[in-house]
Amino acid sequence: MSIVITAFERSPDGGKGLARDTRVRWALEETAQPYDVRPVSFQAMKEDAHLALHPFGQIPTYEDGDLALFETGAIVLHVAEHHAGLLPDDACGRARAIAWMFAALNTVEPPILDLTIARLVEGDRAWSRERLPLVEDRIRYRLRQLSAHLGDADWLDGAFSAGDLMMVSVLLRLRASGLLDEFPNLAAYVARGEARPAYRRAFAAQQALNSGRPG
Amino acid sequence: MSIVITAFERSPDGGKGLARDTRVRWALEETAQPYDVRPVSFQAMKEDAHLALHPFGQIPTYEDGDLALFETGAIVLHVAEHHAGLLPDDACGRARAIAWMFAALNTVEPPILDLTIARLVEGDRAWSRERLPLVEDRIRYRLRQLSAHLGDADWLDGAFSAGDLMMVSVLLRLRASGLLDEFPNLAAYVARGEARPAYRRAFAAQQALNSGRPG
């Protein structure tokens, strides 16, 4: 086994699957690539050895022979480019699937990250409750557009792709907020993603690590 | 000439080059690809014809024969994959350049977008001034890591790549804030990007459109 990824030694979410290693695990499961996991402590993430792998001191990283990569999007794209299962064969479909990866990460995820910050980092501020509806409305704006695009289709553009993997992963962050349930076709879309055997294996593996059982 | 991109009919920044079409123009200039621009009004961006091209009603889009793409990151990556000039030839270097594209868009840009929102969208709120330092400190945290990685190198990983194009473009959004000047090697890095002939052509073209002169 030659692929090694890093993950939180103890994920802040306690194993709910929201840490970004789940996205990489899912891609590796969809493409049937075996991999090893090296857990990293919060302390070790800020030390030179890990910063040499990941300049921003985060997880996951990806190592395979001579290649060391950081950034979940880049890792998932690399896996998708080198193993069948996550990108269509035709050139136009492939480019559009990659466009949905970027849309998930650069258009849909930023307002969702803002909600996490508003709740967890700024939740104790006097103005926090007053600001929250503004943050939520920016998320709704994007969800409305995404919902209109998806319509009654199963996936964003034809068959399941790396674009769906990333979009479902990003939307999963919203589950606790209830915002996803305002858009039934998006809630069903996320449920379809979670029902995939590859996702279930990825989820179980990260959960096992976080509950201290062998992965 | 077969490549057509969209841009704001009138950019909100009045031609300072911060609209995302500048990033695509820069990629097309670095790879010596001729292109046409179709300006889109704010009204037209929300109508069905444009939403069919861009589900989130933004610019830029990219059309070339049968292919229609949205999301700046995906467009720049597509251009970089199909024309020499923006990605190294060796497989590992190529993957790392793409990792820097994702790092720019998903790790460095989100806190910078948050500053734009804090200033332009929430700037009139009673708590706006109290929150601003929190937003700025989240940007500083990422700039400090990026500055440490860059050191005294010219570019992020060897020769100039699509990763640098995207990172410089993201950092340019900070100019007015003064935050960039707290990290002299990053300010110099951005200046190196702006000095590239391809960037200067891209900047001049978007400026000409926004000042009503022919591009």
Side-chain angles (χ1 to χ4, degrees), chain A residues 71 105-107 122 138, chain B residues 71 105-107 122 131 138:
Chain A
E71 281 289 329
L105 294 172
N106 198 232
T107 295
E122 300 175 350
R138 285 194 287 269
Chain B
E71 281 290 328
L105 293 173
N106 199 232
T107 295
E122 299 175 350
R131 184 170 175 266
R138 285 195 286 270

Side-chain angles (χ1 to χ4, degrees), chain B residues 64-77:
Chain B
D64 185 9
D66 288 341
L67 178 63
L69 272 185
F70 66 106
E71 281 290 328
T72 305
I75 296 169
V76 169
L77 180 58

Side-chain angles (χ1 to χ4, degrees), chain B residues 88-112:
Chain B
D89 289 332
D90 72 296
C92 289
R94 179 184 177 284
R96 289 197 306 271
I98 294 171
W100 280 109
M101 289 185 66
F102 280 101
L105 293 173
N106 199 232
T107 295
V108 178
E109 189 161 41
I112 294 175

